Amino acid sequence: MIFALETSCDETSTSIISPEGKILSHIIVKQSDHEKFGGVVPEIASRSHIQILQKIIPQTLFEAGMEISSINAFCSTCGPGLIGGLLVGSTVAKTMAIANNKPFYPINHLEGHALSVQINKKIDFPFLLLLITGGHTQIYYVHKIGSYKLLGTTIDDSVGETFDKVAKMLGMKYPGGPEIEKRAIQGNEKKIQFPKPLIKNNDFNFSFSGLKTAVRLKIIKEKNKNNSFTNDVCASFQNTVIEILLRKTEMAIEYVNENFPKINNLVVAGGVAANMQINKSFISLCKKHSLKLAMPPKELCGDNAAMIGWACLQRFNLGYKGDINFKPRPRWGLEELNDEILVNKI
Ligand SMILES: Nc1ncnc2c1ncn2[C@@H]1O[C@H](COP(=O)(O)OP(=O)(O)OP(=O)(O)O)[C@@H](O)[C@H]1O
Ligand SMILES: [Mg+2]
């Protein structure tokens, strides 16, 4: 039985995962105090995590019908993320572990997103991963747990951040991704031609800052900023992002097919994977390359403790031991896990 905490950004979440990998209880509280600032305020997030955790930890045990003494290991996201939130979550989880004489596992948030798709479905390793979140846009060849090969990454903004900033320019609320998706349905995706930075480059890297600037200039220049203009900006912007993601992922699929052990699955995970238009577009790409598309259910796309508990359970089952002295890290790449796992193995 794993008790997991997720506090790396503005969701406060707790979960209990059974030894079979079933989610016995799961609470996600999206902090709403940030909306009026148009983005996450780290200090407010940390304080809110403290207040929310006090309420939801007992609720989590209650929902699972469990005493804390039945928990075998405690874990929390230890990075990457906002350091204040990471400190709150890890201090609480470590305290619970010490008080109950059980191990504490520091979990990498990106490993949580990467493996989240396996909670409800059997997806075999190796697979290709497109990780699209508020902080990251990366392509990995996931060989197995603890063996991650980074193929490409954004050289500036992440795709989620770009959605949020474009939404802010259009006066929409935070987080902007779901708002843009809603408006895009009513817009014409061919109406505005936006640039697709790095699309012709022969690598798997992304760049979104030029696209963001192009959207900003388009908005500034437009005299008649009516609903239909906003809808068209949203549709054209979203379509441009999708074309970039599809092109780079397709290049990575071709590269992996030639250079690495065979994959059967493309996994698209992270908060932005909740976008239905992205989902539809990747179904066609996968068909073309005889791959299965695996995307987590919507509730497991954004930040959540179930994916952290799941990643912890995999490590627990593989014989990795906990590390009560682990210091949370604001930056902590997936590839950095490759050596650390070997060091921490029993
Ligand atoms: N339907 C959607 N369409 C596009 N983007 C979306 C949608 N739903 C959520 N997002 C975006 O997902 C992002 C949040 O994802 P997530 O919670 O995985 O990121 P994060 O935890 O902040 O970053 P990281 O995981 O890299 O630390 C936000 O930028 C949000 O706008
Ligand atoms: Mg995240």
Side-chain angles (χ1 to χ4, degrees):
M1 294 288 174
I2 309 282
F3 197 113
L5 270 67
E6 160 60 48
T7 57
S8 67
C9 195
D10 59 336
E11 276 92 5
T12 315
S13 181
T14 46
S15 183
I16 297 176
I17 304 290
S18 78
E20 299 77 33
K22 290 240 150 23
I23 302 175
L24 300 183
S25 62
H26 194 195
I27 300 175
I28 306 171
V29 180
K30 174 98 193 141
Q31 299 178 4
S32 54
D33 320 354
H34 307 278
E35 259 174 38
K36 57 180 174 287
F37 299 100
V40 180
V41 184
E43 182 60 26
I44 293 177
S46 312
R47 287 166 188 261
S48 299
H49 286 309
I50 295 172
Q51 282 163 359
I52 297 166
L53 280 177
Q54 291 183 40
K55 286 194 198 131
I56 66 173
I57 287 172
Q59 277 174 19
T60 312
L61 288 162
F62 181 77
E63 214 176 83
M66 204 173 273
E67 298 287 325
I68 200 161
S69 53
S70 310
I71 302 293
N72 305 102
F74 294 83
C75 66
S76 73
T77 300
C78 279
L82 299 171
I83 190 66
L86 296 174
L87 281 166
V88 171
S90 60
T91 305
V92 171
K94 283 178 181 178
T95 307
M96 288 164 83
I98 292 168
N100 293 283
N101 205 17
K102 298 284 162 49
F104 165 79
Y105 284 77
I107 301 299
N108 181 294
H109 183 80
L110 303 180
E111 184 167 71
H113 278 303
L115 306 181
S116 60
V117 75
Q118 296 179 322
I119 301 178
N120 295 321
K121 246 193 236 164
K122 191 170 166 357
I123 307 289
D124 291 330
F125 296 111
F127 58 77
L128 188 69
L129 168 70
L130 173 67
L131 183 67
I132 39 177
T133 71
H136 295 79
T137 304
Q138 298 181 320
I139 304 178
Y140 284 98
Y141 179 79
V142 179
H143 188 234
K144 56 184 180 185
I145 290 167
S147 180
Y148 302 99
K149 172 89 188 142
L150 180 66
L151 300 175
T153 186
T154 179
I155 57 166
D156 41 55
D157 294 349
S158 75
V159 65
E161 193 181 348
T162 313
F163 266 95
D164 293 337
K165 286 183 177 159
V166 166
K168 196 173 176 180
M169 292 172 204
L170 291 166
M172 296 170 180
K173 65 174 192 201
Y174 175 86
E179 301 303 307
I180 291 194
E181 182 179 8
K182 271 187 237 153
R183 298 294 294 260
I185 294 168
Q186 301 157 52
N188 176 356
E189 62 185 32
K190 303 266 183 281
K191 189 74 187 253
I192 309 163
Q193 292 299 311
F194 288 125
K196 299 182 193 108
L198 301 191
I199 195 102
K200 295 213 168 84
N201 279 33
N202 221 1
D203 59 29
F204 315 112
N205 290 334
F206 302 89
S207 165
F208 292 103
S209 76
L211 170 60
K212 197 179 62 185
T213 308
V215 176
R216 190 170 61 82
L217 294 176
K218 181 77 195 165
I219 297 170
I220 290 171
K221 275 196 205 137
E222 178 65 34
K223 293 200 177 70
N224 189 11
K225 294 188 185 67
N226 56 18
N227 265 343
S228 124
F229 169 75
T230 303
N231 295 344
D232 289 343
V233 170
C234 289
S236 303
F237 161 74
Q238 182 177 274
N239 188 50
T240 307
V241 168
I242 292 174
E243 282 186 20
I244 298 168
L245 294 176
L246 285 173
R247 177 72 199 120
K248 291 293 174 170
T249 309
E250 182 161 36
M251 285 168 63
I253 291 171
E254 285 160 0
Y255 176 77
V256 161
N257 282 343
E258 278 170 26
N259 295 284
F260 293 117
K262 187 175 162 29
I263 52 160
N264 293 317
N265 290 283
L266 170 69
V267 172
V268 182
V272 184
N275 186 297
M276 287 315 296
Q277 206 51 45
I278 293 182
N279 185 312
K280 270 192 215 154
S281 314
F282 275 89
I283 291 174
S284 322
L285 179 74
C286 283
K287 261 200 196 133
K288 184 175 162 194
H289 291 273
S290 306
L291 290 174
K292 278 182 258 161
L293 175 66
M295 292 173 82
K298 217 168 179 169
E299 67 277 11
L300 297 179
C301 282
D303 290 350
N304 69 85
M307 70 180 189
I308 302 304
W310 171 266
C312 178
L313 179 67
Q314 308 317 304
R315 284 165 170 268
F316 188 94
N317 287 342
L318 286 169
Y320 295 109
K321 60 176 179 172
D323 182 1
I324 197 82
N325 294 316
F326 190 93
K327 292 192 182 72
R329 299 181 185 177
R331 290 179 180 276
W332 188 17
L334 254 187
E335 276 201 317
E336 290 174 63
L337 287 181
N338 293 347
D339 286 335
E340 276 178 25
I341 280 183
L342 298 176
V343 172
N344 282 342
K345 199 157 169 100
I346 294 168

